[in-house]
Amino acid sequence: MPDGQNSVQFVAFDMNEQQWRLEVSIHNEGRYPQLWLMGEWDDYVHQKGLKKGDKVILTMHEEENGERKYRIRAERMHFGFWYSIDDQQ
């Protein structure tokens, strides 16, 4: 996160190339900082049918031109293996 800021807005693409406008915010209340996802996060959770125990992976790749590309992927454990929820849609 850039110095002096406590939130960053970005667009992440899921495995189906759908765009999700997200914001990550850090709240410095209490002993440890807390991360919060906002923006279209609730829509993402609803569309993917996420449940407690599912895993969400956010990655950032920097292109040769310096542009940053963000990806979001959701996974669910089934019979001891993680599989992509996007593959099931």
Side-chain angles (χ1 to χ4, degrees):
M1 203 162 298
D3 287 338
Q5 291 186 358
N6 66 347
S7 68
V8 173
Q9 296 177 349
F10 59 98
V11 174
F13 294 86
D14 67 16
M15 302 287 285
N16 300 317
E17 297 302 319
Q18 182 172 345
Q19 294 183 21
W20 299 94
R21 296 183 196 300
L22 301 171
E23 180 178 351
V24 174
S25 178
I26 297 177
H27 296 259
N28 290 316
E29 298 173 9
R31 189 171 184 182
Y32 300 104
Q34 299 291 315
L35 291 174
W36 293 91
L37 275 170
M38 298 178 291
E40 295 179 335
W41 173 247
D42 288 339
D43 297 332
Y44 180 81
V45 169
H46 179 72
Q47 181 175 326
K48 302 299 178 184
L50 297 183
K51 302 175 185 176
K52 184 176 181 180
D54 290 343
K55 178 168 54 173
V56 175
I57 302 164
L58 283 167
T59 57
M60 187 266 308
H61 303 278
E62 193 161 329
E63 303 288 318
E64 290 181 17
N65 63 4
E67 181 182 345
R68 292 179 177 170
K69 290 267 189 165
Y70 297 90
R71 292 276 182 192
I72 187 168
R73 179 172 88 241
E75 295 182 348
R76 179 169 292 146
M77 175 83 66
H78 190 65
F79 294 114
F81 296 95
W82 290 100
Y83 69 92
S84 173
I85 292 174
D86 289 318
D87 292 341
Q88 306 303 311
Q89 297 181 338

